[in-house]
Amino acid sequence: MSIMALKAFARTHQGLVRGDNQDAYLVRAFPDGLLAAVADGMGGAPGGREASHHAIEVLERAVRQEPRSIVELERIVKRANRELYAWAHAEPRLYGMGTTLTLVQVHGQEVAVVHVGDSRAYRLREGRLDRLTKDHAVAAELLASGLLTEAEAQHHPQRHVVTRVLGPGSSVRLDVLVVAWRPGERLLLCSDGLYDVLDDAAIAEILSTHRGEDAVERLIEESLRAGGPDNVTVVLVEEEASDGR
Ligand code: MG
């Protein structure tokens, strides 16, 4: 069974507080599938912008015309890590740079996910929004081990401190998974600039009433209305409406 026309709608915005945009994204459509990725350069260290853009470039170069196996995708992301690590050691101004990377590839009846950091991939199935990724961040990990409540984690001073990213280490542990893809499902990738100001219920609500570009615009608008404290990037993957919209 081939996939109907899958499309990705994407937008990134600097937000209203930050001096630059250190988020980056990639969308690549294949004849029979699609790959999308979001990277968010690590704040509090130099080179966040360089790190996120370079990770996306490595992916872009490596994934040209056709979908890759999950093993290949993992290898490509590890290569990005090694390149960032080497670059930072060659250029002192970039020492310590890092970036999140969350990528999804839809091919056949599968979604491959490779993830590190605190950007997120969600799947929307029958109105329900499921997180496909775990946040590699201090507060999220304390929450997962039962040391914080959801409410405490939401306001924890270290909620933005990432525990795993590409760049700072010579090797990196990635989360890799493959889940089933069913017709009609949608995928959402985002940086923390979105979910920090919009909870999952608010995101699901917007996605239930908007599609495609409208949905992406609306998510960005709502994050700005909430103060736009961080760079915000949204990529929405869905089947094109049959009337060609
Ligand atoms: Mg961010």
Side-chain angles (χ1 to χ4, degrees), residues 118-186:
D118 67 352
S119 300
R120 285 183 183 170
Y122 292 90
R123 175 176 62 195
L124 192 74
R125 176 185 276 182
E126 287 156 13
R128 213 183 59 244
L129 194 63
D130 294 318
R131 273 186 223 170
L132 297 178
T133 50
K134 293 191 181 88
D135 301 340
H136 300 142
V138 171
E141 289 179 359
L142 291 172
L143 172 66
S145 17
L147 296 169
L148 289 181
T149 65
E150 185 90 42
E152 286 167 340
Q154 192 81 36
H155 301 286
H156 194 278
Q158 293 194 317
R159 66 188 183 280
H160 297 295
V161 178
V162 281
T163 51
R164 264 199 261 165
V165 282
L166 298 184
S170 59
S171 68
V172 66
R173 193 157 53 89
L174 303 171
D175 287 354
V176 173
L177 66 148
V178 177
V179 297
W181 170 260
R182 294 190 204 154
E185 286 180 354
R186 301 153 84 194

Side-chain angles (χ1 to χ4, degrees), residues 57-241:
E57 274 166 35
V58 170
L59 199 56
E60 196 169 13
R61 267 189 269 124
V63 182
R64 293 245 174 239
Q65 299 299 332
E66 57 196 38
R68 297 307 188 106
S69 72
I70 186 82
V71 174
E72 289 171 324
L73 290 172
E74 186 178 11
R75 205 174 287 148
I76 291 164
V77 175
K78 290 200 164 174
R79 187 191 313 150
N81 182 70
R82 284 195 305 275
E83 287 192 14
L84 287 174
Y85 182 78
W87 188 16
H89 281 71
E91 264 187 66
R93 73 179 177 96
L94 299 176
Y95 186 80
M97 72 173 166
T99 182
T100 74
L101 186 73
T102 301
L103 82 82
V104 297
Q105 177 187 269
V106 186
H107 182 230
Q109 295 173 54
E110 285 181 346
V111 185
V113 183
V114 180
H115 163 76
V116 64
D118 67 352
S119 300
R120 285 183 183 170
Y122 292 90
R123 175 176 62 195
L124 192 74
R125 176 185 276 182
E126 287 156 13
R128 213 183 59 244
L129 194 63
D130 294 318
R131 273 186 223 170
L132 297 178
T133 50
K134 293 191 181 88
D135 301 340
H136 300 142
V138 171
E141 289 179 359
L142 291 172
L143 172 66
S145 17
L147 296 169
L148 289 181
T149 65
E150 185 90 42
E152 286 167 340
Q154 192 81 36
H155 301 286
H156 194 278
Q158 293 194 317
R159 66 188 183 280
H160 297 295
V161 178
V162 281
T163 51
R164 264 199 261 165
V165 282
L166 298 184
S170 59
S171 68
V172 66
R173 193 157 53 89
L174 303 171
D175 287 354
V176 173
L177 66 148
V178 177
V179 297
W181 170 260
R182 294 190 204 154
E185 286 180 354
R186 301 153 84 194
L187 296 170
L188 175 73
L189 299 186
C190 66
S191 59
D192 63 343
L194 183 75
Y195 69 76
D196 238 14
V197 291
L198 291 183
D199 63 18
D200 288 5
I203 294 171
E205 168 66 27
I206 290 171
L207 292 177
S208 72
T209 49
H210 297 73
R211 288 187 65 83
E213 216 169 289
D214 287 347
V216 169
E217 285 302 313
R218 193 64 204 281
L219 289 167
I220 298 273
E221 262 169 38
E222 287 298 319
S223 72
L224 297 177
R225 193 166 301 166
D230 193 6
N231 307 147
V232 56
T233 302
V234 173
V235 183
L236 179 64
V237 178
E238 61 186 29
E239 283 163 0
E240 214 165 3

